[in-house]
Amino acid sequence: MPADLFAPFPLGDLSLSNRLVMAPMTRNRADRHGHVTPMMVEHYRQRATAGLIIAESTTVSPSAVGYPLTPGLHSHAQAESWRALTEAVHTEGARIFVQLQHCGRISHPSLLDGATPVAPSAIRPDGQAVTYDGMRDFLVPRALDVAEIPGVAGQYRQAAELARTAGFDGVEVHAGNGYLIDQFLRDGTNQRTDGYGGTAANRMRFLGEILDVVCDVWPAGRVGVRLTPENSFNTMTDSNPQAHFAYFLQRLSLRALAYVHILEGGMATKATALDYRALRDNYDGTVIANNGYDLSRAQAAVRTGAADLVAFGTPFLANPDLVHRFRENLPLAQADPATFYGGDETGYTDYPPHRPSPQPSMR
């Protein structure tokens, strides 16, 4: 029987009410201490008809911050601030994972108490960092010393522990979009000559060590990984993403993770040159597909086995009742890009659910 986008789905030992996932989206509505705010609680509560919510990129340490007003999981106060949000989502019937993040070179000293951002290699990204003082040019990052890497892994361990305190159902390790783990994975940003660089196996070593410590805290079936094989965001390149990410997926298959979450193509253009069905065939487990999906394409993906779950980003912003609208084939509202990042409730919690047109009275 063909898979149904709206049918329940078993994600490890969890049961999801449907196969629609709310993708992680940075909205810069936390406070300056990385605490969750009341409007964040309401934003997620409104969208909790998704089978699974993956909460936005959440920093694992003060040295992992790359943007203003992003939430963290490196203090008990931050973890406690998440509890109202996870409880609200659970009350509405959804499951929620949190995306653990280290921005690496995509940062600025003004966000890091004056410290230089770190990376696998001392290669400056193009463009500018978003800071509390406006846009500032990216700097040449400092290459992590081998002796420092266990300490970074320890930050992920602590964040994973705090995610349990916060009431999450699981965690997603962010290994994409040009942030620190992705900087190790792709050879355009990793030019190391030690055991963390060179071959695909060496470049994956950092991700493997992060997963080792996270899976000491959580069962592997409650841990996901986000990959973005050809996204050029944050000046990312790779010499052979089809082959390299096929290898990464084969290695991840051995871990019995909850899922791998794959961004297909470029984040801005949605263009792709890779064969994602071939990549999917390298992974023996649950795959979440993401990037530019509409209802018909999502239905085709789960029906053919190209994906098990489908994540939606922007459609969930303007349509808190996206699952209902898809199920009933209702028109979708359009999100306002001017309100994506920072600000107040406008463009965040004030998108209304669909309401039927009033019927004319009969006389």
Side-chain angles (χ1 to χ4, degrees), residues 1-358:
M1 186 173 181
D4 180 359
L5 190 63
F6 302 103
F9 181 81
L11 185 69
D13 64 340
L14 298 173
S15 179
L16 308 184
S17 61
N18 56 66
R19 294 174 183 246
L20 282 83
V21 177
M22 178 177 160
M25 291 173 283
T26 293
R27 303 300 306 277
N28 306 91
R29 258 78 168 190
D31 72 15
R32 290 184 71 128
H33 302 289
H35 299 150
V36 168
T37 57
M39 64 177 162
M40 290 175 65
V41 175
E42 177 61 13
H43 174 78
Y44 281 93
R45 186 199 64 76
Q46 291 174 349
R47 289 153 180 82
T49 55
L52 175 66
I53 291 176
I54 305 171
E56 62 204 85
S57 177
T58 299
T59 55
V60 300
S61 73
S63 61
V65 175
Y67 300 94
L69 302 177
T70 52
L73 270 175
H74 44 85
S75 75
H76 285 282
Q78 289 169 342
E80 288 302 319
S81 77
W82 276 107
R83 288 195 66 84
L85 192 155
T86 59
E87 289 171 0
V89 167
H90 289 149
T91 297
E92 297 295 329
R95 297 294 189 173
I96 183 167
F97 281 37
V98 63
Q99 187 184 71
L100 301 183
Q101 164 74 312
H102 193 306
C103 289
R105 68 178 188 164
I106 305 303
S107 188
H108 188 271
S110 66
L111 297 168
L112 306 174
D113 292 328
T116 300
V118 298
S121 302
I123 302 171
R124 184 181 70 84
D126 297 338
Q128 295 182 307
V130 183
T131 78
Y132 287 105
D133 301 315
M135 304 301 292
R136 306 282 292 274
D137 289 343
F138 284 124
L139 306 179
V140 176
R142 180 177 63 80
L144 279 167
D145 187 88
V146 169
E148 296 178 278
I149 290 177
V152 177
Q155 295 169 5
Y156 278 87
R157 180 193 291 275
Q158 180 189 41
E161 292 169 344
L162 289 171
R164 295 183 73 99
T165 300
F168 286 101
D169 296 298
V171 298
E172 177 179 283
V173 174
H174 195 353
N177 288 356
Y179 300 115
L180 184 61
I181 298 175
D182 197 24
Q183 293 161 26
F184 272 87
L185 288 176
R186 294 204 251 180
D187 57 16
T189 43
N190 185 343
Q191 297 182 6
R192 300 175 74 99
T193 57
D194 58 17
Y196 291 91
T199 65
N202 282 356
R203 296 198 312 276
M204 192 181 178
R205 182 177 171 189
F206 182 65
L207 171 58
E209 292 178 356
I210 300 302
L211 289 173
D212 286 344
V213 299
V214 171
C215 291
D216 281 345
V217 177
W218 288 88
R222 296 291 190 99
V223 177
V225 174
R226 180 87 181 282
L227 298 174
T228 59
E230 60 179 331
N231 190 12
S232 61
F233 182 62
N234 287 325
T235 323
M236 295 302 293
T237 62
D238 189 85
S239 63
N240 192 347
Q242 189 81 49
H244 293 157
F245 280 83
Y247 172 80
F248 299 150
L249 287 164
Q250 290 165 12
R251 299 301 299 173
L252 290 172
S253 287
L254 304 177
R255 289 182 172 268
L257 298 171
Y259 62 80
V260 169
H261 181 188
I262 302 176
L263 184 90
E264 300 176 357
M267 194 162 63
T269 67
K270 308 294 189 287
T272 176
L274 299 189
D275 183 342
Y276 282 93
R277 181 55 196 253
L279 281 179
R280 192 266 180 272
D281 290 343
N282 287 280
Y283 185 71
D284 183 19
T286 297
V287 168
I288 302 176
N290 187 323
N291 207 17
Y293 276 80
D294 58 16
L295 175 58
S296 62
R297 189 175 163 216
Q299 289 172 320
V302 300
R303 185 174 61 249
T304 62
D308 301 288
L309 305 167
V310 180
F312 296 88
T314 305
F316 258 117
L317 301 187
N319 300 276
D321 57 342
L322 183 66
V323 177
H324 171 68
R325 294 195 194 211
F326 275 166
R327 193 191 302 270
E328 301 300 325
N329 242 342
L330 298 171
L332 299 185
Q334 299 303 305
D336 178 7
T339 62
F340 281 2
Y341 306 111
D344 56 17
E345 290 84 356
T346 304
Y348 191 60
T349 60
D350 62 347
Y351 286 110
H354 183 272
R355 291 183 176 88
S357 300

